[in-house]
Amino acid sequence: MTNSDPRTVPTTEQPNNPAYWQQHVDYKMDVNMDVKTFQYTGTQKLKYTNNSPESLTKVFYHLFFNAFQPGSEMDIRLQNIQDPDRRMVNNLGTKENPEYESRIAKLAPDEIGYLHATSLKQDGSEVDFNEEGTILVVNLNNPIAPGETVTFDMEFKGQVPVQIRRSGRNNKDGVALSMTQWYPKMAEYDFEGWHADPYIAREFHGVWGDFDVNITIDKSYLLGGTGVLQNANEIGYGYEDEGTKVKKHKGKTITWNFKAHDVHDFAWAADPEYIHDKLETPSGVTLHFLFKNDPEVVDNWKKIQPKTAELLEFYNKNIGPYPWEQYSVIQGGDGGMEYAMCTLITGGKKYGSLLGTTAHEFAHSWFQQLLGTNESEHPWMDEGFTTFISTLAENKISGDNKANPFENAYKGYQYIVNSGKEQPLTTHGDRYDINAAYSIAAYSKGCIFLSQLGYVIGQDKLMETLHKYYEDFKFKHPTPNDIKRTAEKVSGMELQWYLTDWTETTNTIDYGIKNVSEENGKTTVEMERIGLMPMPVDVMVFYNDGTMEYFYAPLRMMYGEKSNPFEVKRTVLPDWPWAFPTHNFTIDAATSDIKAIVIDPSGLMADIDRSNNTYQPE
Ligand SMILES: [Zn+2]
């Protein structure tokens, strides 16, 4: 183990909510994969602990692979959404007049995905279950009492779908098996109740626990994924300890044994042609890279290795230490998707996008795998926070050092506001009208939640907030209120208004300079609030002699002030009460001495009309 053993984290420590509890799972699985038919069978022994204060009379499992069948909810949604994910459709029309066909609808019986329970026992006795699409509903014989642990023994069989999205076989990169969302997975039950979301498009929420997984597969296949390989010296393939002589395997198959602690998912990938590189990092975490021996990508997959180590260092420093022993960057999937202790990412023909995707997916190890927010309910907390920190990391590691590296997020947000298609961040990930509205909400508006929080409470307090959020909520399921309370505790400000307006409404921000007048050699500036969303206001006055002066109007309802982010003289104005449409201040200079007056020179406030932010004398 490296920095800290996650198992030593006291699960009773609940800094913000003394009533907090979370369920616990302990999986032991034995799986046999037939690499010719892409079918697999398995047994699963699941010890499930009910830490909730309620007795449970039913439980739900996810059977994600059932989404990849003609007529599934995923298929039908794909056929009805205006802007389907291009990876999941064929375009039978032209670029201008597209006519999309769902790739799922075209899958033949031996190409579809499926996952079925064939038997299920609760503490040794058979229980009834029925499949509802991607969910297995189990009505228990005996309720699970608060504090009780029961054992579910399941036998299951599955078929790996032709790769449509995230998981599958023989994808475009030629990777044989991308095994993500592949096992019967207990749904999460938390203070909101069951999260038995059908698999339609979007992401996941899982139960914290431990995995012990045996995968028996053709011996020519090289595997990577969640967990630490327990029989590395027997398996070899670059996993063995240095200097170990790996014995030749007799028989056709090998059994790989992976163990993972304190994770809420388990993923793996396998291919007979993977190259496997290993990189030890100063922090003690081992990085693994698995990629195809394809001359078009090999160099890029080599180049990202030291950069991934730099990313690890950046995230360790700016959020908190990566707590697991290893992380694997694996060619597979499509685009990129985060899993526990690994990511599956596609391609590698373009170095920049390979590095960018790696930076993003690796950051999810913190914002999702460690700070386990519900991705279906609050996609902005994983995609947005990940975008925020990976953008910062890339800006530093690439040497770009842009003053506002988040510019694209602000542009995206502005675009969706102007389009009239914006939906609030409280929308369930699957139920945005169009995919673009989801993406911009989750990635861009979620990123701005943090970058703009830096504008409100100050950059120093923002970074302190991330550290405290990590400390207080690692290995838990933080909610929107938790990040807000953390920022409140760190900054001493009241921030409910920020969470409410930014995440629960589509209220927009628009502050402007309404009028500038001069009397007795002094200049009076009348500022105006046009948008509904409240904000504190930074105003910079640029003088003709090259000097600057900063005026700061805190928002009354935040009951606090940030420290001065600029290296110039600051005047703190009286608080601006939100209900007041205007707010005035006076500059001790003639208007003729002023070159410009600018609201929010940092550009970190997501003001939807910046044309009224600047005043320049004629
Ligand atoms: Zn992401």
Side-chain angles (χ1 to χ4, degrees):
M1 283 308 286
T2 59
N3 311 289
S4 66
D5 185 338
R7 280 157 288 181
T8 62
V9 175
T11 51
T12 49
E13 191 219 316
Q14 313 300 350
N16 276 351
N17 178 0
Y20 181 87
W21 48 266
Q22 65 190 23
Q23 307 297 67
H24 184 83
V25 286
D26 191 346
Y27 286 96
K28 183 156 188 348
M29 289 192 272
D30 287 282
V31 185
N32 266 288
M33 172 61 73
D34 182 335
V35 297
K36 292 215 168 65
T37 62
F38 301 100
Q39 291 174 352
Y40 57 104
T41 55
T43 59
Q44 182 188 77
K45 186 178 277 298
L46 169 57
K47 283 188 187 163
Y48 180 71
T49 305
N50 177 18
N51 290 317
S52 85
E54 328 273 349
S55 284
L56 302 177
T57 56
K58 54 185 174 182
V59 299
F60 299 87
Y61 288 82
H62 296 279
L63 305 171
F64 293 113
F65 273 6
N66 294 344
F68 302 103
Q69 297 173 4
S72 70
E73 275 199 82
M74 186 184 270
D75 177 32
I76 302 302
R77 176 66 173 150
L78 198 52
Q79 295 181 31
N80 286 285
I81 197 163
Q82 187 189 318
D83 59 342
D85 187 318
R86 300 296 168 82
R87 291 166 290 198
M88 301 171 75
V89 290
N90 299 314
N91 184 2
L92 306 177
T94 59
K95 206 177 167 201
E96 293 72 31
N97 289 307
E99 193 193 314
Y100 297 118
E101 170 187 76
S102 159
R103 288 180 57 216
I104 298 176
K106 292 282 159 193
L107 292 175
D110 62 349
E111 295 174 331
I112 63 167
Y114 63 72
L115 183 56
H116 303 305
T118 50
S119 80
L120 181 60
K121 287 178 184 153
Q122 176 190 357
D123 289 331
S125 53
E126 302 276 348
V127 280
D128 279 349
F129 55 87
N130 66 296
E131 252 182 42
E132 306 250 5
T134 61
I135 295 290
L136 187 77
V137 184
V138 182
N139 292 302
L140 301 174
N141 297 337
N142 300 305
I144 311 172
E148 192 189 350
T149 300
V150 298
T151 302
F152 291 107
D153 283 291
M154 188 192 285
E155 288 173 23
F156 62 91
K157 61 175 185 182
Q159 178 169 286
V160 188
V162 164
Q163 179 123 3
I164 303 286
R165 191 71 236 276
R166 300 195 181 102
S167 314
R169 71 206 209 203
N170 302 330
N171 60 34
K172 278 190 186 141
D173 287 18
V175 174
L177 289 165
S178 300
M179 295 299 290
T180 63
Q181 297 107 39
W182 60 278
Y183 63 94
K185 179 177 179 179
M186 181 62 76
E188 181 60 300
Y189 179 80
D190 63 17
F191 75 104
E192 293 173 313
W194 282 102
H195 294 279
D197 290 312
Y199 187 24
I200 296 174
R202 296 280 137 61
E203 301 179 8
F204 313 105
H205 192 41
V207 192
W208 287 102
D210 304 325
F211 289 77
D212 179 351
V213 182
N214 284 314
I215 300 163
T216 301
I217 190 165
D218 185 287
K219 69 176 173 190
S220 66
Y221 282 62
L222 204 168
L223 273 61
T226 305
V228 175
L229 185 61
Q230 301 297 303
N231 53 344
N233 288 341
E234 183 196 324
I235 296 282
Y237 280 125
Y239 282 103
E240 70 275 18
D241 300 328
E242 218 168 295
T244 304
K245 271 211 118 171
V246 180
K247 283 194 202 123
K248 254 196 133 195
H249 304 283
K250 291 178 196 132
K252 284 193 174 141
T253 58
I254 324 178
T255 299
W256 298 60
N257 178 219
F258 291 96
K259 280 188 184 170
H261 294 285
D262 295 291
V263 291
H264 49 78
D265 198 15
F266 188 98
W268 57 286
D271 193 273
E273 288 163 6
Y274 270 146
I275 295 175
H276 174 207
D277 287 343
K278 203 156 70 169
L279 181 65
E280 302 294 343
T281 65
S283 68
V285 176
T286 307
L287 299 174
H288 297 270
F289 299 86
L290 278 78
F291 49 98
K292 295 285 283 192
N293 192 1
D294 168 356
E296 283 198 281
V297 306
V298 167
D299 284 353
N300 289 336
W301 278 84
K302 295 274 179 196
K303 262 169 74 183
I304 60 159
Q305 295 177 17
K307 293 291 175 189
T308 309
E310 283 180 52
L311 289 166
L312 172 64
E313 204 182 311
F314 186 91
Y315 300 143
N316 279 345
K317 191 166 153 244
N318 287 286
I319 315 170
Y322 181 87
W324 298 287
E325 287 167 78
Q326 71 93 24
Y327 184 75
S328 300
V329 186
I330 304 170
Q331 189 177 9
D334 55 351
M337 182 65 195
E338 68 276 13
Y339 300 101
M341 301 165 74
C342 68
T343 177
L344 268 64
I345 63 182
T346 188
K349 285 180 190 157
K350 288 192 186 128
Y351 171 71
S353 87
L354 183 65
L355 179 62
T357 312
T358 305
H360 179 92
E361 303 309 335
F362 197 8
H364 273 303
S365 289
W366 285 262
F367 296 120
Q368 218 300 292
Q369 301 306 330
L370 184 60
L371 295 145
T373 49
N374 182 336
E375 293 180 290
S376 308
E377 294 289 335
H378 318 294
W380 61 277
M381 292 184 78
D382 78 300
E383 294 305 349
F385 293 9
T386 291
T387 301
F388 171 82
I389 203 72
S390 64
T391 303
L392 274 188
E394 269 190 277
N395 193 43
K396 176 159 184 275
I397 287 167
S398 67
D400 287 353
N401 296 314
K402 290 182 199 153
N404 180 3
F406 308 108
E407 240 183 329
N408 283 339
Y410 286 80
K411 278 186 194 153
Y413 167 68
Q414 180 92 45
Y415 163 81
I416 203 75
V417 168
N418 293 345
S419 76
K421 289 280 190 184
E422 196 200 358
Q423 289 174 252
L425 291 182
T426 45
T427 307
H428 186 286
D430 282 325
R431 293 196 283 284
Y432 282 86
D433 187 31
I434 54 172
N435 279 324
Y438 158 78
S439 302
I440 291 171
Y443 292 78
S444 303
K445 202 179 178 189
C447 168
I448 299 170
F449 178 90
L450 288 183
S451 57
Q452 184 172 252
L453 183 62
Y455 169 83
V456 175
I457 66 176
Q459 287 307 315
D460 50 341
K461 297 296 181 200
L462 171 67
M463 298 319 280
E464 255 182 73
T465 296
L466 291 186
H467 278 117
K468 185 167 171 53
Y469 182 58
Y470 168 96
E471 281 305 328
D472 290 354
F473 296 102
K474 59 187 174 188
F475 305 108
K476 293 202 177 81
H477 291 310
T479 65
N481 195 57
D482 292 325
I483 183 71
K484 182 215 72 178
R485 286 292 294 136
T486 306
E488 286 183 337
K489 288 174 187 182
V490 168
S491 68
M493 292 182 195
E494 301 307 313
L495 297 165
Q496 183 62 42
W497 59 273
Y498 185 65
L499 182 70
T500 302
D501 279 57
W502 193 249
T503 71
E504 297 172 16
T505 76
T506 53
N507 288 349
T508 51
I509 300 162
D510 185 10
Y511 282 87
I513 295 169
K514 192 178 185 188
N515 192 40
V516 175
S517 57
E518 189 182 327
E519 207 180 333
N520 303 327
K522 292 184 180 189
T523 302
T524 296
V525 180
E526 184 182 21
M527 299 183 293
E528 182 181 21
R529 177 181 60 73
I530 303 148
L532 275 174
M533 179 161 173
M535 284 298 271
V537 178
D538 281 351
V539 192
M540 193 66 81
V541 177
F542 296 86
Y543 294 106
N544 285 327
D545 66 3
T547 59
M548 290 184 274
E549 192 177 359
Y550 164 40
F551 293 85
Y552 172 49
L555 177 70
R556 183 191 270 176
M557 68 175 89
M558 73 188 193
Y559 306 106
E561 292 162 18
K562 68 176 168 185
S563 55
N564 186 351
F566 304 108
E567 283 162 4
V568 297
K569 184 195 157 203
R570 174 167 92 167
T571 303
V572 178
L573 304 172
D575 289 349
W576 188 336
W578 169 80
F580 291 28
T582 60
H583 203 57
N584 292 359
F585 69 98
T586 300
I587 304 165
D588 193 10
T591 310
S592 57
D593 293 337
I594 295 169
K595 198 169 149 201
I597 303 169
V598 179
I599 289 182
D600 179 30
S602 72
L604 291 172
M605 181 171 82
D607 190 317
I608 54 144
D609 180 9
R610 296 193 69 86
S611 70
N612 55 21
N613 285 31
T614 300
Y615 165 84
Q616 283 176 296
E618 314 278 284

